[in-house]
Amino acid sequence: MYEGPMPMTPTPLAEAGATPPAPPVPLAALLARPDLGLRLLAGPEDVPLHWVHTSEMADPYPYLLGGELLMTAGVQLTDPAHYVERVVEAGAAALAFGVTPVYDTVPPELVAACARHGLPLVEVPPRTPFTAVARALWRLMAEARLHELRRVTEAQQSLAAAAARPAPVPAVLGALASRVGGRAVLFGADGAESAAAGREVPAEAARALRDLAGVLGPRPGGPASASGDGGGLRLAAYALGGGDGLTLGVAAERRGPGDHTIAGVAVVLLSLLTAPHRGADVTVRDGALVRLLLGAAPEEAADPLGPGPWTVVHARGGDGTPFAATSLAAALGTPLLAQDGATVRLLLPSSAAPVTAQEGWTLGASAPVPPSELPAGDAQAARALRRAEAGRAALVRHRAGGLAALVDRDEAAAHARGLLGPLTEPLGETLRVWLSLHGSWDRTAVALDIHRNTVRQRITRCAALLDRDLDDPDVRMELWFALRAR
């Protein structure tokens, strides 16, 4: 039954393009496969499985990332209760135990320990190799991903068709509500509903959605999106482009992997449909940009362009649709963009929210610069994009500050919590020790009493969760100060 280590990991978001991530597969889907003959002995069957891993270690904790189906034949199982405690502590989703060649039946002590901790325990019959279980899970994940891609594509087509109707704003809201199976609301700058579509939601959920939309608001530098829960529903809010403080709110019973992509298309369409008519100030500003492109000195265009500071962003990626660049511009809070071959160049005013990573895109951002230094900012963004592509990072900023520039301790601690939020305690501690030892795999392994391959695995996981290039000394410095300040 035992066939050695056989990890199966999902594609990182930074490499997944603009498509939604593969949805996890519920354990029940594997149990329903008659060819596998799996049997649930303890725990719930509706837990999500993100990947599968086989291990015969007495303590598999150092090699688990969480969310996996851990398979074992119990070669070194001596203390079932302690074994289950370590598996649960590591965050594994479920445990699959193969009977034979070591055990003829699943040990009752193991069943009792799993039941006590609520960890699903699955019996794998002798006729089913572990590779068959892993292959079945991979196929189920591929089918789920294909289904999600089709759903997103159909939703994009539906939203585009709705935008062409005589009353486009209510039509887009209706199409969005239908596709996510909930309610879509357009809030004004004062927080009042200006349009809505979809099924009614409980009053508690409606209030929570309005409050969530209020978190975004029209204030400069505010977040572009937010999510939460209320009234038993999953909630999300998105700021529309245009600077008028309009916000899209979405409430649904569940949130699929592709729902953020679908909502992003709706945000772009609604931003275009609700944009005010071009005013004289916009015409003057665009005229200044044209003069810059035609070779005028930056100082000649500084007054009509605005005092800044401005941030230049270079981006590559997208999903190839006509909405890709405009969707990115709306997400970053600017109407100023230009397509230069495969690169999208954007100019963000000081009122825009800070640049954040965008799914499906690789971004390079300059430091904020006045109009007279826009050429330098453009060069900074180009270099940052090259570094992002080389390091497979979603976003690289041209900056030398980070937490070293934060003087107030409370502000530094808040920044650290936000930055390090995606990391579990074991990952954060591994990152701290690794940084303190100047990135030495061997010395970090000795300090933590784990294998050097485990150190590499955890540091790679940290880079993926944080969307940071850990080879960048600026990033290392910022993470070091964050780990000290949290």
Side-chain angles (χ1 to χ4, degrees):
M1 178 64 68
Y2 171 64
E3 300 165 32
M6 183 180 53
M8 183 178 74
T9 55
T11 303
L13 287 179
E15 302 174 7
T19 57
V25 172
L27 175 59
L30 275 181
L31 296 173
R33 292 283 298 265
D35 57 315
L36 298 178
L38 305 178
R39 188 162 66 100
L40 184 66
L41 302 182
E45 67 176 17
D46 58 347
V47 295
L49 304 177
H50 293 268
W51 47 82
V52 63
H53 182 67
T54 299
S55 175
E56 295 300 339
M57 302 293 295
D59 180 12
Y61 174 90
Y63 301 92
L64 301 180
L65 296 177
E68 58 265 7
L69 171 64
L70 174 63
M71 297 193 293
T72 181
V75 174
Q76 298 191 57
L77 182 65
T78 57
D79 186 349
H82 179 69
Y83 183 89
V84 171
E85 288 177 359
R86 294 291 286 170
V87 170
V88 171
E89 185 180 357
L95 177 64
F97 193 91
V99 293
T100 71
V102 182
Y103 291 86
D104 294 329
T105 61
V106 180
E109 298 86 352
L110 185 65
V111 178
C114 288
R116 187 165 57 252
H117 288 277
L119 178 69
L121 175 62
V122 177
E123 179 189 77
V124 183
R127 65 179 176 85
T128 303
F130 284 175
T131 51
V133 179
R135 185 168 58 246
L137 181 59
W138 180 86
R139 287 176 176 171
L140 288 170
M141 291 182 69
E143 292 170 1
R145 183 180 182 85
L146 180 60
H147 173 78
E148 196 68 10
L149 288 173
R150 288 175 176 169
R151 187 175 76 91
V152 170
T153 300
E154 292 171 357
Q156 290 175 333
Q157 295 171 348
S158 175
L159 289 167
R165 294 176 186 169
V169 171
V172 169
L173 291 174
L176 176 60
S178 175
R179 292 294 171 174
V180 301
R183 185 170 180 80
V185 181
L186 185 63
F187 294 98
D190 59 354
E193 286 190 12
S194 59
R199 63 181 181 87
E200 295 292 333
V201 298
E204 179 184 352
R207 287 193 299 270
L209 185 61
R210 184 174 61 251
D211 294 341
L212 188 65
V215 171
L216 306 183
R219 64 185 184 280
S225 63
S227 61
D229 299 279
L233 299 177
R234 308 296 299 275
L235 311 177
Y238 306 85
L240 269 58
D244 292 333
L246 298 179
T247 306
L248 171 65
V250 180
E253 291 183 355
R254 67 176 188 88
R255 185 179 301 140
D259 285 349
H260 182 73
T261 303
I262 295 172
V265 175
V267 167
V268 174
L269 292 173
L270 292 171
S271 297
L272 295 173
L273 293 171
T274 59
H277 296 293
R278 294 173 59 87
D281 58 334
V282 177
T283 303
V284 171
R285 183 194 64 196
D286 288 358
L289 292 175
V290 170
R291 291 199 298 275
L292 279 175
L293 293 174
L294 292 178
E299 54 270 17
E300 296 178 11
D303 289 339
L305 186 60
W310 295 81
T311 300
V312 184
V313 175
H314 285 203
R316 290 197 187 104
D319 56 8
T321 67
F323 301 121
T326 52
S327 176
L328 174 65
L332 295 179
T334 180
L336 304 177
L337 76 153
Q339 192 90 25
D340 184 11
T343 303
V344 178
R345 302 164 73 187
L346 306 102
L347 192 59
L348 277 61
S350 58
S351 59
V355 180
T356 57
Q358 302 296 318
E359 185 176 338
W361 291 91
T362 301
L363 306 179
S366 75
V369 296
S372 60
E373 297 180 15
L374 282 174
D378 189 59
Q380 291 175 5
R383 289 194 298 269
L385 178 60
R386 288 195 295 269
R387 286 169 49 204
E389 290 180 322
R392 294 186 177 183
L395 168 65
V396 169
R397 295 181 176 88
H398 180 89
R399 69 181 188 199
L403 283 175
L406 298 177
V407 177
D408 183 82
R409 294 176 60 88
D410 292 337
E411 185 178 356
H415 182 89
R417 287 193 297 270
L419 177 62
L420 303 173
L423 301 185
T424 62
E425 186 60 33
L427 290 177
E429 179 61 13
T430 302
L431 179 61
R432 186 193 67 79
V433 175
W434 183 74
L435 289 173
S436 71
L437 297 175
H438 308 290
S440 170
W441 308 110
D442 293 325
R443 294 168 63 194
T444 303
V446 171
L448 294 175
D449 195 23
I450 58 178
H451 196 275
R452 71 192 304 273
N453 289 342
T454 302
V455 177
R456 288 183 177 273
Q457 184 184 54
R458 290 184 180 179
I459 295 302
T460 300
R461 183 64 173 162
C462 289
L465 290 172
L466 296 173
D467 280 333
R468 294 291 194 276
D469 177 12
L470 297 186
D471 290 328
D472 185 344
D474 289 342
V475 173
R476 290 195 181 192
M477 180 187 69
E478 182 172 8
L479 290 175
W480 173 250
F481 279 100
L483 289 163
R484 289 173 59 89
R486 67 174 181 173

